[in-house]
Amino acid sequence: MCIDISGRDSALKKGAVKRLTETVTFWVDITGDDALKKGNIGIEAILLTRCIHSYARLNILKHGQWQTEKWGIPLNTWDMLATNLGFSLVYLTGLKRMKFNVLENEVEGLFHVWKFIGTLLGIPLQLLPDTEEQAIEALYHWTMTQQSGDQDSLALAKSLMEEPIKAAYPTNKWGRKLMREIHLYYNHYLLGDYSCSLLGLKKTVLGKIAYVNILKNKKANRMVTDSLWRQQQIEKGRKVHEGVKQIYLKYN
């Protein structure tokens, strides 16, 4: 992987499908049963990611345009922590917003597994949170170091917004347009209209059909304390995750 800083604007506008495919594959691979045991697919995915991070840092610094005194080291520790929090805290917040009832032991397990994964990825152990409260505090501190959105933010948001259109699945054009509208609805539902407005993400009418899924989640999760039902949902959910991964790999 060779990083060309001079071409970052075009890179922001292209490749969203590829980036999402890689992210989906990584997440599915590391969250499976026994995935993080020695020699298994999750460990391989983490080692590959560490190699990519190292190679990217070397290439960025070698290029000579990176201003370390202003920006720190490429792919720095705090940005890696923020990504980790995206997979743990932000993921948890999204589940709650989508009307999933998350049990206390599941919250504890979520932060435990992402602390383990974060350590394997090279994030210092003492920075990784054990609880939701610690994660909120860490994300707050990281947020305070970030500048306001700029043209790069808008370019990336637009690229991600158009990702369903440029993907190869669903196989028909109308289906891809509907997927984009559904994604837009979820962005407004999860991020809020103000944030979406700053990112240039338009409102959608057609995408509101996605709210049916939220109502289904709310109804179904009334049975969350039923151990048999929960196990069935876990197994069903894992099959869905694997299926989504295969769709991304096949069509993108």
Side-chain angles (χ1 to χ4, degrees), residues 38-76:
K38 184 178 179 181
N40 286 1
I41 190 170
I43 291 295
E44 291 180 357
I46 289 171
L47 290 175
L48 175 61
T49 300
R50 288 202 69 163
C51 289
I52 292 172
H53 285 174
S54 298
Y55 192 60
R57 289 188 187 100
L58 291 172
N59 273 271
I60 291 171
L61 293 173
K62 181 181 178 181
H63 200 273
Q65 296 184 27
W66 184 266
Q67 300 180 46
T68 303
E69 67 281 1
K70 290 185 178 180
W71 304 327
I73 299 298
L75 283 75
N76 64 70

Side-chain angles (χ1 to χ4, degrees), residues 49 54 66 69 73 81 114 132 142 146 171 183 217 233:
T49 300
S54 298
W66 184 266
E69 67 281 1
I73 299 298
L81 174 62
W114 279 101
E132 185 175 0
W142 175 83
Q146 303 303 301
T171 54
H183 286 187
N217 293 341
Q233 293 304 302

